[in-house]
Amino acid sequence: MIESTPSPTRRKGGHRSRVVVNMVAHNGEPHIAELLESIVRQTRPVDALVFFDDASTDRTVEIVESYRDRLPIEVRPLPDTGYTHWDVVYSRVGQHVSAGLRELADEDVIIMTDLDDVWEETRVEHQAGRLEDNPDVLVIAGSGPCIDDDGTPLGMDFHDLYPRPAGWQDRSAVEQLRWTIWKPYGSGANMALRGSVMRRVPPVPYGWLCDRWVTLAAAAMGGLDLDDTPVVRYRLHPGNSLGAMGSGVTGMLRRQVRWLRAPLVGVRRLRELHSLRTIAPTPALRRALSWPALLVVVASPVKWFGR
């Protein structure tokens, strides 16, 4: 169980982390300048923004390059993952974001980001501080208000789209793992993690999104922190190819149909969850990732019909 403490404005001695942004970008021209402006305005500056271009055909790279005088931007080639076709978008995005994160595994803190959101000005200060103050936390999944294509608030937060169980910090590590298997709670838009996590997490399997796999791995290691503090303004618009546009009843039904139409995919996913036993630090967590325990969790009505 993770004990949460407030993040102070300044570190009271001890190690001040190097904070690096992982940005994997494909055709982000409509909103990427607004995102970069919000990173410029951070109350705690980032130490590096590492940009991996994922075959953009618009002005994304040009816009990012134009911020070199205001942000410590490093442009790196995206490692070859073997995924090149957008008809397998989940696998392509999952593998490419994972490749970017693994490139940064020696960094202290990695902040993930989507291309179309806006960071709250205290995001780096809050999330980096939370990791510095809580050595048992490996991955943080934050929250924030949802906005439309024009930036107008929609009257709901990210954690309203993906409701989180009450009293997360008071639940046992096994309970936290069980809930994380049932429901997604983090997004590449609002997560931060220790770079060392990427040296421990097994490679993202085919068909998984990187943020989903990383939160599951963090829960398997007893180090997932759910934090409802606003860190981003999460943009919902028709151009969303992934993320919270698949939340709610529609997303739930889509996942059910996928499992029913392709039961072998479900078996494969159970096997991949079972593989996380290798990184679980306690007997209780390893038992929770055993075949019998996973079958019980996946068969639970909570997974298929909500709370």
Side-chain angles (χ1 to χ4, degrees):
M1 182 175 64
I2 299 167
E3 182 178 349
S4 175
T5 59
S7 169
T9 302
R10 298 184 181 182
R11 305 269 64 77
K12 297 178 180 178
H15 176 62
R16 183 179 176 90
S17 300
R18 175 175 158 86
V19 180
V20 176
V21 181
N22 175 59
M23 181 180 290
V24 178
H26 174 79
N27 288 354
E29 180 178 349
H31 300 291
I32 197 168
E34 189 175 4
L35 166 66
L36 292 167
E37 286 289 345
S38 70
I39 298 176
V40 169
R41 294 193 298 268
Q42 290 298 296
T43 56
R44 175 173 171 175
V46 300
D47 295 290
L49 188 157
V50 181
F51 173 77
F52 302 93
D53 180 53
D54 188 5
S56 295
T57 57
D58 61 5
R59 295 179 57 251
T60 296
V61 177
E62 179 184 341
I63 294 169
V64 171
E65 293 279 8
S66 73
Y67 276 79
R68 280 187 178 274
D69 61 336
R70 286 180 280 172
L71 287 170
I73 291 172
E74 301 176 15
V75 177
R76 300 187 190 178
L78 183 66
D80 182 14
T81 64
Y83 291 85
T84 58
H85 302 293
W86 281 104
D87 58 346
V88 286
V89 63
Y90 264 71
S91 289
R92 178 189 175 98
V93 173
Q95 294 297 320
H96 287 193
V97 174
S98 174
L101 289 175
R102 290 184 184 282
E103 282 275 307
L104 304 177
D106 291 331
E107 301 290 356
D108 293 333
V109 172
I110 307 171
I111 295 188
M112 299 174 67
T113 187
D114 285 349
L115 304 184
D116 49 7
D117 300 317
V118 180
W119 290 17
E120 301 293 353
E121 293 183 2
T122 56
R123 178 180 184 178
V124 175
E125 180 182 329
H126 176 74
Q127 290 194 311
R130 200 170 174 94
L131 286 166
E132 288 165 340
D133 295 339
N134 295 272
D136 293 331
V137 174
L138 303 176
V139 175
I140 298 170
S143 188
C146 297
I147 58 176
D148 66 12
D149 199 25
D150 298 322
T152 303
L154 294 173
M156 58 183 175
D157 289 342
F158 179 86
H159 62 265
D160 294 324
L161 291 170
Y162 292 107
R164 297 166 172 185
W168 177 265
Q169 308 297 345
D170 298 324
R171 294 177 182 269
S172 69
V174 170
E175 288 180 300
Q176 291 178 353
L177 173 60
R178 188 179 300 126
W179 279 100
T180 309
I181 293 173
W182 281 333
K183 306 289 178 184
Y185 299 123
S187 162
N190 60 29
M191 287 168 54
L193 63 150
R194 300 185 190 279
S196 58
V197 168
M198 297 310 300
R199 296 196 294 270
R200 300 169 61 186
V201 173
V204 178
Y206 177 89
W208 290 86
L209 284 173
C210 183
D211 47 18
R212 177 72 171 133
W213 185 248
V214 168
T215 54
L216 284 164
M221 292 186 282
L224 177 62
D225 183 20
L226 301 185
D227 175 23
D228 289 342
T229 301
V231 293
V232 296
R233 279 164 267 168
Y234 189 84
R235 196 183 305 269
L236 300 179
H237 58 90
N240 286 118
S241 57
L242 301 170
M245 292 299 283
S247 66
V249 175
T250 301
M252 178 184 70
L253 292 174
R254 186 180 299 121
R255 288 188 290 273
Q256 290 176 8
V257 169
R258 187 182 303 128
W259 277 66
L260 291 172
R261 291 180 62 184
L264 291 180
V265 173
V267 173
R268 189 190 74 211
R269 291 206 163 194
L270 281 173
R271 185 175 67 246
E272 289 156 355
L273 287 171
H274 179 67
S275 74
L276 294 175
R277 291 187 77 195
T278 60
I279 61 173
T282 67
L285 284 167
R286 288 191 288 274
R287 285 193 299 271
L289 290 163
S290 66
W291 280 106
L294 286 173
L295 288 170
V296 170
V297 170
V298 171
S300 169
V302 177
K303 178 170 179 59
W304 302 108
F305 304 107
R307 295 189 287 281

